[in-house]
Amino acid sequence: MRKNVRQKMVEGATQVLSRRGLHATAFSEVLALTGTSRGSIYHHFPGGKAELIGAVLEDFSIRLDDQLQALHGQPAEVVVSEALTLWRSRLLRDDCDSGCPVAAVVVAADSTRLQQDCRRAFEQWTGTLAAALKAGGFPAARAGSFAALLMAGMQGAMLLARASGEIAPFDAVAEQLRQQAELLAA
């Protein structure tokens, strides 16, 4: 039961963080969203907000990396397209009103630990994408740099989509990334 409540709080905090950012993420909103008691905070996250945010980063990073690892063995063009689809579906699910919780933390982190957690997440995702691209036939010498471009492109495209409240900016960037991947993989 404890793990269920804790996980429910982590998932709720992920939603709030993705929409509101680090500084505007409040326990009260997480509690309201998850229907958990105030005592749950102190029981599951005795280190306070920093501990909750750390749990969000770890959970989200692992879940996304698992999804990216599932792309291993696909042709490079499919890896690119499916990675973009992961982020696009997240944007659409939330009406272009949320983004990457890791990006939300990295731009406002006031602790070295949180910054390191964000760095590790982005490095892991980029490495996973690079390995999947290479396995999918992408030139080995370019897989890492294209994975970094793909990650930066997706993150920037999400910001543009959130700012406009529409999916069109994301789709425009995604199309360019797909075309570039096709050229490089050929």
Side-chain angles (χ1 to χ4, degrees), residues 28-83:
S28 59
E29 192 170 359
V30 173
L31 294 175
L33 181 65
T34 61
T36 52
S37 70
R38 190 143 195 82
S40 297
I41 295 169
Y42 307 107
H43 180 74
H44 295 288
F45 303 100
K49 184 176 178 178
E51 186 175 347
L52 175 61
I53 298 303
V56 166
L57 293 174
E58 179 181 8
D59 179 71
F60 187 81
S61 296
I62 290 169
R63 284 188 294 119
L64 181 64
D65 195 61
D66 287 347
Q67 291 175 306
L68 294 173
Q69 285 186 25
L71 301 176
H72 196 86
Q74 299 291 323
E77 294 87 354
V78 174
V79 171
V80 171
S81 185
E82 290 300 314

Side-chain angles (χ1 to χ4, degrees), residues 45-174:
F45 303 100
K49 184 176 178 178
E51 186 175 347
L52 175 61
I53 298 303
V56 166
L57 293 174
E58 179 181 8
D59 179 71
F60 187 81
S61 296
I62 290 169
R63 284 188 294 119
L64 181 64
D65 195 61
D66 287 347
Q67 291 175 306
L68 294 173
Q69 285 186 25
L71 301 176
H72 196 86
Q74 299 291 323
E77 294 87 354
V78 174
V79 171
V80 171
S81 185
E82 290 300 314
L84 290 163
T85 298
L86 288 172
W87 289 110
R88 187 179 195 276
S89 63
R90 183 176 181 78
L91 280 166
L92 289 175
R93 183 192 69 212
D94 296 332
D95 296 322
C96 294
D97 191 36
S98 71
C100 175
V102 177
V105 173
V106 80
V107 298
D110 52 5
S111 87
T112 303
R113 164 122 187 176
L114 289 177
Q115 289 171 341
Q116 289 172 344
D117 290 347
C118 292
R119 183 179 310 116
R120 275 192 295 275
F122 283 121
E123 287 172 352
Q124 179 65 43
W125 298 340
T126 303
T128 298
L129 281 169
L133 287 167
K134 185 177 171 186
F138 211 84
R142 294 186 171 178
S145 61
F146 190 79
L149 175 66
L150 181 58
M151 186 58 60
M154 287 187 291
Q155 293 294 327
M158 285 190 304
L159 286 172
L160 294 172
R162 285 191 71 192
S164 70
E166 298 177 5
I167 198 68
F170 184 90
D171 288 345
V173 171

Side-chain angles (χ1 to χ4, degrees), residues 13-21 90 97-101 104 162:
T14 300
Q15 290 178 32
V16 176
L17 183 62
S18 296
R19 286 192 171 146
R20 305 262 188 255
R90 183 176 181 78
D97 191 36
S98 71
C100 175
R162 285 191 71 192

